[in-house]
Amino acid sequence: QVQLVESGGGLLQAGESLRLSCAASGRAFSRYIVGWFRQTPGKEREFVAAISRGGGSRSYLDSVKGRFTASRDNAKNTAYLEMKSLKPEDTAVYYCAATSGDGMSTTESLYEYWGQGTQVTVSS
C-alpha cells in the first residue's frame, strides 16, 4: 500500500506557473505509475497526465500538452506536475494517484491509491 499527499496548490493569475508535488510513503514508490487528475465542481474527474515507473514515458491531456510536465524522483518518493502558462480553465482540485497496473491509464478507476487533492485557482 502507498499513501499519497499532494502539496503546492494556490491562487495565481493567468500566465503564471506552479509546481505540484505528490509525496509518497509506504511501499516502493518506483513500483507505481503515477497519474494526475483534476476535478471541478459538478464535473467528473479528468485525466491530466501520467508518468511511467522510471519516468521515461509520459502521457498528457491534449489541452495541457506543452504547458504541463510530469516528472518524478524515485529516490525522494515524490512526483511532480510542473504547470506553466496557466489558464482560468485549469482551475480545479488536482489529485495524484498511483497504480501498480500496466500502462499509463487515463481511467481513474484503474488507479488504486489517491491523495487528498490540492486546489489550484487561476484568475483572469
Side-chain angles (χ1 to χ4, degrees):
Q1 191 169 353
V2 64
Q3 294 78 41
L4 304 173
V5 178
E6 300 98 336
S7 60
L11 174 62
L12 306 95
Q13 293 190 336
E16 292 186 329
S17 300
L18 190 67
R19 187 178 77 164
L20 304 181
S21 298
C22 173
S25 61
R27 294 185 63 182
F29 182 57
S30 60
R31 295 182 182 182
Y32 298 90
I33 291 168
V34 173
W36 290 91
F37 292 76
R38 64 188 181 187
Q39 189 171 27
T40 55
K43 294 187 177 181
E44 293 186 355
R45 198 144 34 180
E46 173 184 54
F47 169 81
V48 176
I51 186 167
S52 61
R53 292 175 173 85
S57 296
R58 299 169 178 86
S59 177
Y60 296 99
L61 176 70
D62 282 347
S63 63
V64 308
K65 285 180 180 177
R67 299 190 299 121
F68 289 14
T69 302
S71 62
R72 65 191 297 165
D73 185 339
N74 287 338
K76 295 182 177 180
N77 287 345
T78 304
Y80 306 96
L81 185 66
E82 186 84 34
M83 304 184 293
K84 299 181 178 180
S85 302
L86 281 161
K87 304 175 181 180
E89 51 264 43
D90 294 319
T91 295
V93 176
Y94 283 73
Y95 299 88
C96 66
T99 178
S100 58
D102 296 325
M104 293 186 291
S105 176
T106 61
T107 304
E108 66 171 294
S109 62
L110 296 182
Y111 286 81
E112 300 146 68
Y113 306 105
W114 290 82
Q116 82 289 352
T118 186
Q119 177 71 47
V120 174
T121 303
V122 184
S123 61
S124 58

